[in-house]
Amino acid sequence: MGLPQRIICVGGSLLCPLVWNKRYTGTYGSSLHRDAVSTSAYSSPAKSLGDPGITPLSPSHIVKDSDAEDAVEQLFLVVVAIDFGTTSSGYAYSFTKEPECIHVMRRWEGGDPGVSNQKTPTTILLTPERKFHSFGYAARDFYHDLDPTESKHWLYFEKFKMKLHTTGNLTMETDLTAANGKKVKALEIFAYALQFFKEQALKELSDQGGSDFENTEVRWVITVPAIWKQPAKQFMRQAAYKAGMASPENPEQLIIALEPEAASIYCRKLRLHQMIDLSSRAPVNGYSPSDTIGTGFTQAKEHVRRNRQSRTFMVENVIGEIWSELEEGDRYIVVDSGGGTVDMTVHQIRLPEGHLKELYKATGGPYGSLGVDYEFEKLLCKIFGEDFIEQFKIKRPAAWVDLMIAFESRKRAAAPDRTNPLNITLPFSFIDYYKKFRGHSVEHALRKSNVDFVKWSSQGMLRMSPDAMNALFKPTIDQIIQHLSDVFDKPEVTNVKFLFLVGGFAESPLLQQAVQSAFGSRCRVIIPQDVGLTILKGAVLFGLDPAVIKVRRSPLTYGVGVLNRFVEGKHPPEKLLVKDGTRWCTDVFDKFISADQSVALGETVTRSYTPAKPSQLVIVINIYSSEQDNVSFITESGVKKCGTLRLDLTGTDASVPNRREIKTLMQFGDTEIKAMAIDVATSKSVKVGIDFLNY
């Protein structure tokens, strides 16, 4: 039985796929697309085209990376990883000749009581002229010291990373709002932040080496949440290019690492003294099960702090002791709980090298520790009124920052077994502004509010009972536990041996206890010591060996649009195009790979097309994506154009075959997708990264 012919619209003309892709079954059609489309619902451009189409030529096939014509691997002297967090950020590095040594950045000036300053707050300050001024503690402290009449002119940003997760239509033009209400392009702010880390790291490397360290000698790694959608991941790459870390001409110098993957890579190296086993029946690291979770973790942090002087962590070049219990095919889950998001991934160990295979696509949501801050803000609104809190944030932005710093410190002191109250200092300007705004005192507001467990202290503090503080954690922790329960119910997630709890929020004894209570009977719950640096150290290891993750799950369905022979009763009548007496079905989505499909590192899907009009010299192939697996037409809701391959064959030899073969390759399995088109007759080729920001 013969295969139906298909053609693809290429620029103003039509192309046909050459044959079916052997890997897939089901309907493989093709569709027509315009060169510029802004929505997910496209009209049928083929109906107005005058050019002929193309016909199938040869089988499609799948190859490994070695088959693709990729550039020779560059050699870098050092790998620098940047953990760009919602609440705090930092960098670490390792020289490629000493991969067992991971150096964590210099200590930061400043810091808060009860908060480790191994990383610095993700805060940035611009001058009234919108020029970069400072980052981290320096930005926060300078802003704090400004006179209120001055501070309203300065642009202060904090916790801005979440904007990339929450913005549905993220573009290069997306704005961020400063504390004073003024807007700045998000790309500029992210580029300023990355440039700050670039300069800090290069200066430290130069100081250590005694001579200037060049950017070209560095491979950069930037971490992002695995649950971020593709536009947000691409946005970070564009910001890094703007910061001068790498360039579109040399993209291999920058790797985008997924946070739970980085944590997973580091957890493979753990030795017994580098972790806390919440499920342990016997003493671990000298802590018996009778110790509370919070106490044991505090002792572990103190142990780490005492050994931090060198800032250098030794990493085994073999698999750690924890993995000696794992056998081929064993599964574990990594839960990365940060400031903004919690995301989780399920990995399977592949021995003997200890390579990793992703079993279930990364999942999660905005359940980070910011949720606790939000609950505190809701509590303040309940006591003092939402209208006052909104005005206070606008009129006294620096004082609002002070108040949230004070809360952060007490938030970290919350524990399941705590009995004494937690005192949160209210800034003087809060007390003063409230009296002017309402005409009565803060103490009066507390008495009138009837909020349980929150009292006024004569020292100018809110006194919260442990129950009141724990109640602020409950909505966020409940969401994490519910999401984890849903993941554990998936068939791919049966027989999990370990659950690794990582990220800054993992330091919370309340979260630790909740996870242990819910899942301790199903798997062993492990927390690495110095848990806030787990992702950072794992990102360095990933930069040294990006091939350690061998198999991933595709987050989206990818394909191109083509034309199929029209079949009465099967294809919708409105998709009919009659061309030179032939009846075609337009707008069909020709799938390369499906959402949640397992793909090996460097795996390339190849298709062949041919222009039906031999004289056609400019070939444009548009690429589409969808979160749905079962996509038939590019006009369906949620289908988005995300790439264009434009192959210009002008000036090539006219004696090419009548049926010119255009190979189209898409490479999967990495954290980012690449595509390429090749004219087989002339070997002329064009490459493109999938672009989610400019269509």
Side-chain angles (χ1 to χ4, degrees):
M1 182 176 174
L3 295 173
Q5 278 189 306
R6 298 173 295 161
I7 59 178
I8 180 170
C9 173
V10 195
S13 66
L14 305 176
L15 288 178
C16 265
L18 299 178
V19 292
W20 301 97
N21 183 323
K22 290 180 178 176
R23 176 162 189 162
Y24 303 104
T25 57
T27 304
Y28 283 89
S30 48
S31 98
L32 297 163
H33 9 303
R34 291 171 293 184
D35 286 2
V37 207
S38 58
T39 68
S40 59
Y42 309 118
S43 62
S44 299
K47 299 195 176 184
S48 63
L49 294 171
D51 290 343
I54 51 172
T55 52
L57 278 182
S58 64
S60 328
H61 62 286
I62 293 170
V63 296
K64 292 296 179 190
D65 196 19
S66 55
D67 288 358
E69 297 175 16
D70 272 358
V72 178
E73 180 71 19
Q74 283 181 261
L75 297 176
F76 300 99
L77 295 181
V78 66
V79 169
V80 179
I82 298 170
D83 179 6
F84 197 120
T86 302
T87 51
S88 61
S89 299
Y91 67 87
Y93 58 93
S94 178
F95 293 97
T96 51
K97 289 184 178 176
E98 295 180 306
E100 68 282 356
C101 296
I102 298 175
H103 309 271
V104 177
M105 64 273 159
R106 294 168 172 161
R107 283 184 168 279
W108 301 98
E109 296 302 319
D112 305 314
V115 180
S116 163
N117 64 343
Q118 198 71 27
K119 293 202 281 187
T120 193
T122 308
T123 54
I124 195 165
L125 183 64
L126 305 188
T127 67
E129 296 75 37
R130 298 176 175 243
K131 301 296 183 190
F132 176 80
H133 180 272
S134 48
F135 186 91
Y137 288 115
R140 205 188 66 189
D141 294 346
F142 186 92
Y143 184 63
H144 166 270
D145 292 339
L146 286 170
D147 184 89
T149 56
E150 273 192 277
S151 65
K152 64 184 179 186
H153 299 296
W154 289 68
L155 289 86
Y156 180 80
F157 299 85
E158 62 176 355
K159 299 165 186 170
F160 51 86
K161 179 183 170 188
M162 275 301 284
K163 180 81 171 184
L164 299 196
H165 180 68
T166 56
T167 302
N169 56 340
L170 183 69
T171 71
M172 306 287 269
E173 302 302 310
T174 297
D175 286 326
L176 293 177
T177 305
N180 63 0
K182 293 182 179 175
K183 294 185 183 298
V184 178
K185 292 276 181 288
L187 189 69
E188 288 184 32
I189 299 300
F190 280 85
Y192 276 141
L194 292 173
Q195 189 172 355
F196 168 81
F197 280 113
K198 184 187 94 168
E199 290 171 1
Q200 291 284 319
L202 288 176
K203 185 175 188 308
E204 182 172 339
L205 289 166
S206 298
D207 290 349
Q208 187 169 323
S211 60
D212 283 353
F213 217 89
E214 296 295 331
N215 184 65
T216 53
E217 299 171 306
V218 179
R219 163 167 266 171
W220 298 96
V221 181
I222 300 173
T223 65
V224 301
I227 58 164
W228 268 13
K229 294 193 183 301
Q230 298 299 327
K233 294 174 185 174
Q234 184 187 335
F235 187 94
M236 288 298 280
R237 177 170 284 279
Q238 294 302 321
Y241 288 166
K242 190 173 174 67
M245 288 177 159
S247 67
E249 295 72 41
N250 189 19
E252 288 79 16
Q253 191 176 0
L254 170 68
I255 296 175
I256 300 294
L258 309 182
E259 288 165 0
E261 281 192 359
S264 178
I265 291 163
Y266 179 69
C267 287
R268 295 183 321 143
K269 305 284 188 178
L270 285 176
R271 301 189 69 81
L272 290 175
H273 69 275
Q274 295 172 315
M275 67 179 193
I276 297 143
D277 187 344
L278 298 186
S279 314
S280 178
R281 299 284 183 270
V284 173
N285 304 335
Y287 313 131
S288 71
S290 60
D291 287 328
T292 65
I293 289 174
T295 306
F297 199 72
T298 303
Q299 287 173 297
K301 286 199 288 186
E302 284 305 316
H303 167 78
V304 170
R305 242 179 235 122
R306 286 195 298 272
N307 291 286
R308 254 199 199 142
Q309 276 64 39
S310 70
R311 299 181 298 108
T312 299
F313 294 83
M314 302 304 293
V315 180
E316 301 289 329
N317 60 5
V318 294
I319 290 177
E321 289 159 305
I322 191 77
W323 296 88
S324 62
E325 300 179 36
L326 285 171
E327 298 171 358
E328 174 77 33
D330 276 350
R331 301 163 179 202
Y332 64 95
I333 188 165
V334 176
V335 181
D336 170 26
S337 44
T341 56
V342 169
D343 57 353
M344 44 202 82
T345 188
V346 184
H347 278 164
Q348 187 175 48
I349 191 78
R350 299 172 73 180
L351 299 176
E353 300 89 354
H355 290 146
L356 306 177
K357 175 182 179 180
E358 186 179 31
L359 285 182
Y360 185 70
K361 67 179 177 182
T363 178
Y367 319 135
S369 60
L370 283 187
V372 185
D373 298 359
Y374 177 64
E375 291 298 319
F376 177 62
E377 188 176 329
K378 283 205 309 192
L379 178 67
L380 292 177
C381 288
K382 190 173 179 184
I383 297 169
F384 303 109
E386 190 174 342
D387 55 342
F388 166 72
I389 294 298
E390 287 307 311
Q391 277 301 304
F392 181 71
K393 286 161 75 174
I394 293 165
K395 300 290 187 185
R396 301 283 189 274
W400 174 256
V401 170
D402 283 352
L403 175 54
M404 294 311 292
I405 290 167
F407 174 69
E408 178 70 22
S409 170
R410 306 322 299 144
K411 180 172 83 174
R412 289 170 180 265
D417 57 341
R418 190 182 178 98
T419 54
N420 52 323
L422 297 118
N423 295 323
I424 298 162
T425 304
L426 287 180
F428 171 75
S429 63
F430 185 99
I431 299 166
D432 181 59
Y433 190 70
Y434 184 79
K435 189 154 192 175
K436 289 175 182 170
F437 191 88
R438 288 274 190 249
H440 57 250
S441 68
V442 163
E443 186 178 2
H444 176 80
L446 270 163
R447 280 202 308 270
K448 294 279 286 181
S449 70
N450 296 321
V451 171
D452 293 337
F453 310 122
V454 181
K455 307 296 179 194
W456 176 246
S457 159
S458 57
Q459 290 88 23
M461 297 179 178
L462 287 179
R463 178 165 287 181
M464 296 184 71
S465 72
D467 285 346
M469 179 62 85
N470 294 359
L472 300 181
F473 279 77
K474 190 174 188 309
T476 302
I477 290 178
D478 284 353
Q479 284 182 304
I480 295 171
I481 298 302
Q482 181 58 54
H483 197 91
L484 257 174
S485 296
D486 294 343
V487 170
F488 267 94
D489 288 341
K490 303 291 182 189
E492 302 94 330
V493 194
T494 52
N495 303 319
V496 167
K497 268 203 176 177
F498 295 107
L499 185 155
F500 291 101
L501 191 58
V502 303
F505 196 18
E507 293 184 8
S508 166
L510 292 168
L511 178 59
Q512 292 172 22
Q513 185 191 57
V515 172
Q516 172 60 22
S517 299
F519 307 106
S521 61
R522 302 175 75 164
C523 60
R524 286 171 62 188
V525 180
I526 305 286
I527 302 178
Q529 284 185 5
D530 222 6
V531 65
L533 298 178
T534 302
I535 291 159
L536 191 50
K537 292 184 278 191
V540 174
L541 294 173
F542 182 59
L544 292 166
D545 180 17
V548 67
I549 309 279
K550 291 295 185 188
V551 180
R552 286 186 174 86
R553 297 272 169 169
S554 175
L556 296 170
T557 296
Y558 291 96
V560 297
V562 289
L563 294 173
N564 262 358
R565 287 288 186 124
F566 190 86
V567 178
E568 291 288 349
K570 176 185 176 183
H571 294 137
E574 66 271 17
K575 299 293 183 187
L576 174 64
L577 167 70
V578 179
K579 190 129 186 92
D580 299 331
T582 304
R583 293 157 61 84
W584 299 104
C585 178
T586 67
D587 300 334
V588 186
F589 186 96
D590 190 12
K591 193 190 299 183
F592 270 59
I593 206 156
S594 301
D596 202 29
Q597 186 171 323
S598 186
V599 284
L601 180 66
E603 187 168 305
T604 303
V605 178
T606 304
R607 298 286 176 82
S608 291
Y609 304 103
T610 181
K613 186 177 179 181
S615 60
Q616 183 186 334
L617 293 175
V618 177
I619 300 185
V620 180
I621 300 173
N622 291 318
I623 302 164
Y624 293 85
S625 67
S626 172
E627 293 183 14
Q628 303 304 312
D629 174 25
N630 194 17
V631 184
S632 299
F633 298 97
I634 62 162
T635 49
E636 291 175 21
S637 174
V639 177
K640 294 178 181 173
K641 182 176 168 185
C642 61
T644 298
L645 287 162
R646 188 176 189 277
L647 194 56
D648 188 345
L649 302 177
T650 51
T652 55
D653 187 354
S655 63
V656 294
N658 274 346
R659 306 186 75 198
R660 172 173 246 148
E661 181 179 358
I662 306 295
K663 275 190 179 178
T664 304
L665 302 89
M666 289 183 70
Q667 189 182 79
F668 301 94
D670 207 339
T671 55
E672 296 170 283
I673 313 295
K674 301 180 183 75
M676 181 162 68
I678 306 167
D679 175 38
V680 174
T682 63
S683 297
K684 197 163 185 178
S685 68
V686 61
K687 291 184 181 181
V688 67
I690 301 301
D691 188 344
F692 294 94
L693 293 172
N694 295 308
Y695 289 103

